[in-house]
């Protein structure tokens, strides 16, 4: 059985670790320190808790659910990463006063690529960052063949990511392999449209995800 | 009946002007000069030809199908634009040797916004730039409720754009109004993913478009 280390205690980390624990996986969530108050809710979810380094040491597969602005610092503090698979579900957004958070990705640059460059022995797979975390964790919450993208340089790490996706309910035909980690820029750049569509649909609209018709 | 001025003689300009002419509209396509060799194919399509300025003078609704890198220069040469509606279907892409064209839009900046800023009396509506031109012109070529986005500051110009979309076969439930022209950045930023998905699907795949499931 795959052991998971989920980095980040926000709503994304909570939703994914609760889902994986509910599905019977061995999950540890990591925070900056093992005694962080942010870890308190996780006991009731059947999720172990620790520091970022504890969660990484525990994990076959690491899930990066930290705020994208803090990801590199979190990984720096997380101890040896070589040979592990990291599924990066995060986005790097800059808050804008009175406006929409600004995604920092551009055609040349993405958080996924920066993580891979900073930790060359870690197998980084960008995935799941294009949707709300309730949809990440339970794709049956949205109808039809909506899609999840995968970007990464290592084929085995992508296979492990596919297994994690399948565990949460993603079907093979929903998984779109875009290629190497350089394709993470493409998925991270879609966050502006995701936010605009969220607003256009209104507060009462159900969760959505992108589908590819054709 | 709406008279159209289509700027640009590439495949996008050809496909849209042929479609509008076939649907009975009065269409003039414009090139840099009225005697450009690029205008030759349009006679057989039932489309009038002229310079950019001729096409603008002819038009109630202008469609910008120029290469995004040349759009501002084309509009500068096109004579008085005040009070007209311009549907901007273009993308600004920088060629990359041996790689993917690089979309220049970022969360702060888009071609749609730059056109509107350069010509404040023109009513700019960004639309249709998120798909192949065969899908723009004939949405029935892709199954289901795939979507087209609209971004623009003027409500009347957006209504006129909706009428043009409806003429080509778009149904109201497929049209997503994102808000002002500042939202053009969001749709232009999706071009990287569009290109990656096009490659991932392979050469023999049918045309596709984005849909929103939920």
């Amino acid at each position: 059985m795959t052991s998971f280390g989920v980095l980040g205690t926000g709503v994304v980390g909570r939703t994914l670790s609760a889902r994986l624990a509910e599905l019977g996986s061995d999950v540890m969530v990591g925070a900056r320190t093992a005694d962080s108050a942010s870890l308190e809710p996780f006991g009731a979810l059947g999720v172990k808790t620790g520091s970022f380094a504890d969660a990484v040491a525990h994990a076959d597969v690491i899930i990066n659910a930290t705020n994208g602005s803090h990801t590199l610092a979190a990984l720096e503090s997380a101890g040896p990463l070589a040979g592990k698979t990291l599924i990066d579900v995060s986005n790097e957004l800059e808050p804008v006063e009175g406006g929409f958070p600004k995604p920092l990705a551009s055609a040349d640059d993405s958080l996924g690529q920066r993580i891979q460059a900073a930790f060359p022995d870690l197998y980084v797979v960008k995935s799941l960052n294009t949707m709300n975390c309730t949809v990440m964790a339970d794709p049956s919450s949205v109808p039809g063949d909506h899609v999840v993208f995968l970007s990464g340089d290592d084929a085995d790490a992508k296979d492990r990511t596919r297994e994690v996706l399948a565990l949460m309910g993603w079907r093979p035909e929903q998984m779109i392999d875009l290629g190497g980690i350089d394709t993470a820029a493409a998925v991270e750049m879609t966050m502006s449209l995701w936010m605009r569509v969220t607003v256009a649909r209104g507060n009462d609209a159900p969760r959505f995800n992108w589908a590819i018709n054709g």
Side-chain angles (χ1 to χ4, degrees), chain A residues 4-14 16-17 20 27-32 38-39 42 47-48 50-59 61-68 70-79 81 85-90 115 119 122:
Chain A
F4 291 96
V6 175
L7 308 185
T9 56
V11 62
V12 181
R14 258 197 324 275
L16 289 175
S17 51
L20 291 167
V27 185
M28 182 181 288
V29 67
R32 206 164 312 182
S38 67
L39 291 167
F42 287 85
V47 173
K48 296 169 184 161
S51 65
F52 290 138
D54 294 333
V56 164
H58 179 82
V61 171
I62 308 163
I63 296 178
N64 175 37
T66 60
N67 179 321
H70 307 141
T71 295
L72 291 175
L75 289 172
E76 287 292 352
S77 76
L81 297 165
T85 293
L86 179 128
I87 306 176
D88 174 30
V89 310
S90 69
I115 297 171
F119 305 99
L122 178 67

Side-chain angles (χ1 to χ4, degrees), chain A residues 66-155:
Chain A
T66 60
N67 179 321
S69 311
H70 307 141
T71 295
L72 291 175
L75 289 172
E76 287 292 352
S77 76
L81 297 165
K84 304 222 176 195
T85 293
L86 179 128
I87 306 176
D88 174 30
V89 310
S90 69
N91 285 291
E92 190 172 18
L93 304 173
E94 186 177 283
V96 172
E97 190 158 335
F100 278 79
K102 194 172 92 174
L104 296 183
S106 69
D108 286 330
D109 182 47
S110 64
L111 180 61
Q113 287 164 280
R114 264 179 283 127
I115 297 171
Q116 186 63 83
F119 305 99
D121 297 334
L122 178 67
Y123 302 121
V124 180
V125 180
K126 188 94 203 181
S127 192
L128 287 167
N129 68 300
T130 51
M131 67 196 79
N132 181 279
C133 61
T134 60
V135 183
M136 296 182 192
D138 183 7
S140 74
S141 61
V142 167
D145 282 342
H146 56 99
V147 295
V148 59
F149 301 101
L150 294 93
S151 305
D153 292 339
D154 187 80

Side-chain angles (χ1 to χ4, degrees), chain A residues 198-199 201-206:
Chain A
T198 299
V199 171
R201 286 165 60 86
N203 284 334
D204 297 333

Side-chain angles (χ1 to χ4, degrees), chain A residues 19 126-131 134-151 158 161-178 187 208-213:
Chain A
R19 172 70 165 158
K126 188 94 203 181
S127 192
L128 287 167
N129 68 300
T130 51
M131 67 196 79
T134 60
V135 183
M136 296 182 192
D138 183 7
S140 74
S141 61
V142 167
D145 282 342
H146 56 99
V147 295
V148 59
F149 301 101
L150 294 93
S151 305
K158 278 201 274 202
T161 302
R162 287 173 181 279
E163 288 166 19
V164 176
L165 294 173
L167 176 66
M168 295 194 289
W170 291 91
R171 289 170 282 109
E173 60 271 27
Q174 294 179 281
M175 305 178 194
I176 314 282
D177 185 348
L178 294 176
V187 287
F208 75 93
N209 192 19
W210 307 112
I212 296 172
N213 286 23

